[in-house]
Amino acid sequence: MRCFLEIARAESVSVAADRLNITQPAVSRSLRELEDILGAQLFDRAGRGLRLNEAGRMFQSHAAASMTELMRGYDRLVKEGGATIRLSVGALPTASTDLLPRAALRFREEAPNVRLHILTGPNWLLFNQLRDGTLDLVVGRMPEGETSSGVTFQQLYIEDVVLVCRPDHPIIAASNPEVEIRRFPLILPPKGAVIFSTVDRYLSSIGLPEMRGDIETVALPAGRKIVQSSNMLWFISRGVVAEEVRLGTLITVDLASPLLSGPVGISVSRFAPLKVERNVLADCLRASTDELVALQMRPGSQRHC
């Protein structure tokens, strides 16, 4: 099954052999044995490569889930103390305040022998580390442009960018807050942040294409303190400030623009080898997403994931 899953990812027997550190004939033989057992051909030839056919795509999801369960069973048999495997995760701001902490606690129960290494940093750095193999996955907004090169993305949910201010800010009483934005100093995401293009498109759509921020940050501690202490307005992913909005220490300005919404999920290098621990963490992230959505749907709740 590992050979099959690696061939499916690489669409090449030779690349799969390199990643698994075994010979090409061994990979081909394993695939033939699997197809004999199943009584079905799983791939179609496409030039020098292989492409999953309908039977292969159907079997792929079951095979991946089976490998995950096998690793969980193995972990329960291991009696060594402490972590024996390391999984490195890059956390973009929108996922690092709530989603990833929840998933990390769930992952610790599911895979107690894996040490989870969480790194934060600028968008460009995390995706460069993902491509060079330093990180196993990145959690956050879907990458755009050159950042998405060599990366696959699995969506977890849709999240909007919000405009936040202090609770007694004068813009709250405005009947048309979009018109009032130009009257106040802004905190904007820096160029290179995942949400930079989203905010830039929105400002252009309301006639402020040249609007620049007096301050640029997506960091919660700095942005929160500045907004609470001034008339500044901050464009930031909702997930970053979800707790502050729930507690009422920051208020969202009602803009209701579809241009401010975008997908949040899991990014993995296209060339990363199969790693069961990564699949376990992905399952934990999906379960934590469901948990956050359920909290959001509770009557009276203001939480957003």
Side-chain angles (χ1 to χ4, degrees):
M1 284 197 296
R2 287 198 67 186
C3 284
F4 162 74
L5 290 170
E6 202 59 66
I7 295 169
R9 285 176 57 81
E11 297 184 341
S12 165
V13 169
S14 60
V15 174
D18 287 341
R19 292 177 180 176
L20 294 168
N21 198 28
I22 57 179
T23 65
Q24 291 186 40
V27 172
S28 298
R29 184 169 59 251
S30 294
L31 176 59
R32 285 196 302 272
E33 290 174 356
L34 179 61
E35 290 179 328
D36 288 343
I37 292 170
L38 297 175
Q41 185 175 333
L42 302 174
F43 293 91
D44 293 329
R45 290 207 167 272
R48 295 185 177 181
L50 295 174
R51 296 284 176 83
L52 283 171
N53 56 28
E54 185 176 353
R57 286 191 293 272
M58 180 173 60
F59 183 70
Q60 183 184 31
S61 61
H62 296 285
S66 297
M67 286 297 295
T68 298
E69 289 303 314
L70 286 170
M71 177 55 70
R72 287 173 176 169
Y74 170 78
D75 284 341
R76 291 186 178 183
L77 291 175
V78 175
K79 300 300 182 182
E80 299 176 12
T84 58
I85 303 171
R86 173 169 159 154
L87 190 71
S88 295
V89 181
L92 293 172
T94 190
S96 61
T97 56
D98 205 352
L99 174 62
L100 188 54
R102 288 174 181 269
L105 291 174
R106 192 183 297 265
F107 180 77
R108 185 171 179 270
E109 295 180 1
E110 293 286 341
N113 296 299
V114 180
R115 178 185 296 114
L116 190 61
H117 185 212
I118 300 174
L119 293 173
T120 59
N123 163 52
W124 63 267
L125 175 60
L126 294 184
F127 281 101
N128 281 345
Q129 291 178 327
L130 181 67
R131 279 185 287 268
D132 69 19
T134 304
L135 293 176
D136 294 296
L137 72 158
V138 172
V139 187
R141 279 252 177 172
M142 183 173 74
E144 296 185 7
E146 294 182 0
T147 307
S148 64
S149 175
V151 172
T152 62
F153 179 80
Q154 303 168 32
Q155 180 177 308
L156 294 172
Y157 57 88
I158 297 292
E159 179 190 65
D160 54 338
V161 173
V162 292
L163 182 65
V164 295
C165 61
R166 57 184 172 83
D168 57 345
H169 196 288
I171 200 172
I172 297 298
S175 58
N176 190 350
E178 290 185 335
V179 175
E180 302 296 318
I181 289 174
R182 68 182 71 235
R183 293 182 48 219
F184 301 100
L186 297 181
I187 305 176
L188 297 181
K191 193 169 185 178
V194 177
I195 63 171
F196 173 83
S197 297
T198 300
V199 175
D200 195 52
R201 284 193 294 267
Y202 170 74
L203 290 173
S204 295
S205 76
I206 62 172
L208 301 173
E210 303 300 324
M211 194 74 170
R212 294 294 177 264
D214 293 46
I215 298 174
E216 295 182 343
T217 188
V218 290
L220 176 60
R224 175 180 55 200
K225 186 67 175 178
I226 294 168
V227 170
Q228 290 172 342
S229 307
S230 71
N231 268 350
M232 297 196 78
L233 303 171
W234 186 22
F235 280 97
I236 189 66
S237 294
R238 187 182 291 274
V240 176
V241 293
E243 186 71 8
E244 282 66 28
V245 171
R246 184 182 73 83
L247 295 173
T249 57
L250 292 178
I251 301 293
T252 60
V253 180
D254 186 14
L255 300 177
S257 171
L259 291 176
L260 290 173
S261 296
V264 173
I266 305 164
S267 295
V268 178
S269 169
R270 293 182 185 274
F271 309 105
L274 177 67
K275 213 166 192 179
V276 175
E277 306 82 41
R278 184 173 58 230
N279 291 344
V280 175
L281 180 59
D283 287 344
C284 293
L285 286 162
R286 294 185 190 99
S288 297
T289 297
D290 293 341
E291 185 179 80
L292 287 170
V293 170
L295 284 172
Q296 179 185 353
M297 298 300 292
R298 287 181 183 175
S301 173
Q302 299 182 51
R303 291 186 69 83
H304 298 263
C305 69

